[in-house]
Amino acid sequence: MILTAEKEKSLLMAILTKLGLNEDDAEIVANATLDADLKGFTSHGIGRFPQYIHGIKNGNIKTDGEITIERETEAIALINGNSLFGQLVAHKSMILAIEKAKKMGIGAVGTHNSNHFGVTGYYSDLAIRNDVVGIVTANTEPAIAPLGANKPLIGTNPIAIGIPSKDTYIAVDMATSASARGKLLESLRKGEEIPEGVALDSEGNPTTDPAEALKGSILPFGAHKGYALAFMIELMTGPLVNAAFGTGVKGTANHAENCTKGDLFIAIDPSKFVELDDFKEKNEEFVTQVRESGDTFVPGDLEVKNIANNQKSGLSIDKKLYENLKGICDDLDIDINDYISE
C-alpha cells in the first residue's frame, strides 16, 4: 500500500483537524510528520500516530492551548509546552530561538512538559531556512544502560545540527544510541528482527528480538563515546530546562504516561561572526573538497536522496500500520481508502 506525499499530508490534516487542532497547528504537525517519512525516518513519521492517538485519549497530549514562556531574556527562554503536540512546541521554540539569534547572535530555548516531536532534524532545518546554524537535542525515556551496567538509565537522546551553505544541504540527525527506539518499535510492528550489535535483553545478553530489546537496553553508538554524549545531553535537556532526567523521564514511547522529557533548541547567526555569503561559500568549498576526496558523502546526502525517491515513488504503508490507521480513521469518520492506493 502506498501513500503519496500529498495524500499523506492530506490524511494527516484530516485526522488532526478532526481531533480538534486548528488548521495552522495541524499543518505544523503534518509537515513535521511528513518530513520524517520523506527522509526515511519512518519510525518517527505517520507510524507514530497510533501512539499519539493513545496519548490524546489518555489526556497526555492536548489538542488545544498555548505554550507558556516561564523565563526569558533577550537570548534565552524556558518554555512550558502545557502537554501540547511536541511538534507544535518544538516548532514554536525553534522559531523563537531563531528570532533571538537574529537579534543577539545566539538564541537558546529550552522546553519541558512537551511531547514526542518527531525527527530532531526537522527543527534544525528551520534554522537552515533562516540562514542560521541550528542545534537541537532532547532526552527520552531510559533506553541506554551505562557502560558496564544492564539497567537503562539514559535516553536515546538525539542530536541534530544543520548548517547553511550555498547549494548543499548540510545536516546530521542521529540518536546517540546504536538505534532509535522508534526503529525497534517499528521492527516489532512489522515482525522483523533488529540488526546484531544494537541491543541487549533484560539479562544483558545480545538480542535481535525487538520485543526483548525493548525490555532490555539499546547500546550507545561508538561505545564510550556515544555513552558520554548521551550522558551530557541527558543533563542539558533535563536539569537545565526543568525537565526530568534518568528514570524520571516518561511518556516519549509510552503515551499512556505523561511526558516529562526536555528539549533544547539553539540557533547561531553566522552573520554576527562573518559575512553570511562568505560563510556559505566556504562551507560549499569544504563540501567540494570532501566530494573530490573519494567515493564518500556529505551529512545530509542520504536524506536528500530519500526525499527525491519517496516523492517520486510514494511512501509504503505496511499492513499492520494500515490497520492501525484505518481504526483511527473509522473512529473519526474518515475513509482512509480515499488517501491510500494499493
Side-chain angles (χ1 to χ4, degrees), residues 45-286:
I46 197 170
R48 280 272 179 163
F49 257 71
Q51 293 167 270
Y52 294 157
I53 301 301
H54 189 47
I56 292 170
K57 288 180 177 179
N58 282 286
N60 294 321
I61 298 178
K62 308 298 184 185
T63 58
D64 188 33
E66 298 290 335
I67 64 171
T68 302
I69 299 179
E70 295 181 334
R71 293 190 178 196
E72 187 172 22
T73 71
E74 289 188 324
I76 69 99
L78 178 66
I79 283 178
N80 184 329
N82 292 320
S83 296
L84 293 169
F85 261 91
Q87 290 88 344
L88 291 179
V89 179
H91 185 275
K92 293 179 179 181
S93 298
M94 193 70 219
I95 293 299
L96 181 58
I98 292 166
E99 291 172 354
K100 290 180 178 296
K102 292 286 188 178
K103 182 178 181 181
M104 301 301 296
I106 188 167
V109 176
T111 73
H112 61 103
N113 197 20
S114 182
N115 277 291
H116 185 272
F117 60 34
V119 286
T120 316
Y122 180 72
Y123 309 100
S124 53
D125 285 355
L126 293 177
I128 293 175
R129 294 188 193 110
N130 285 275
D131 282 334
V132 300
V133 175
I135 305 169
V136 184
T137 61
N139 66 4
T140 74
E141 290 176 54
I144 297 174
L147 291 187
N150 60 15
K151 178 183 177 181
L153 289 175
I154 305 171
T156 55
N157 296 3
I159 180 168
I161 303 173
I163 298 180
S165 191
K166 183 181 177 183
D167 300 309
T168 305
Y169 174 67
I170 304 175
V172 63
D173 180 3
M174 65 181 197
T176 48
S177 52
S179 170
R181 189 202 317 264
K183 290 185 179 180
L184 271 62
L185 293 168
E186 185 176 47
S187 294
L188 181 64
R189 186 187 76 227
K190 292 181 176 181
E192 299 174 347
E193 289 191 336
I194 59 175
E196 294 182 358
V198 165
L200 307 175
D201 64 20
S202 59
E203 301 299 319
N205 300 310
T207 183
T208 58
D209 183 339
E212 293 303 315
L214 289 165
K215 294 176 187 175
S217 62
I218 307 174
L219 294 168
F221 85 87
H224 59 287
K225 295 180 180 180
Y227 163 60
L229 183 57
F231 186 105
M232 296 303 181
I233 291 174
E234 190 76 28
L235 301 181
M236 291 173 65
T237 55
L240 182 65
V241 299
N242 199 29
F245 55 91
T247 56
V249 183
K250 311 286 184 182
T252 60
N254 179 9
H255 294 286
E257 298 179 301
N258 184 53
C259 189
T260 59
K261 63 111 171 184
D263 313 312
L264 182 62
F265 305 85
I266 300 171
I268 303 169
D269 185 353
S271 72
K272 300 297 193 291
F273 290 86
V274 293
E275 290 296 323
L276 178 62
D277 288 344
D278 188 47
F279 173 73
K280 295 168 75 172
E281 186 68 45
K282 287 179 178 177
N283 292 342
E284 204 63 43
E285 288 178 15
F286 182 59

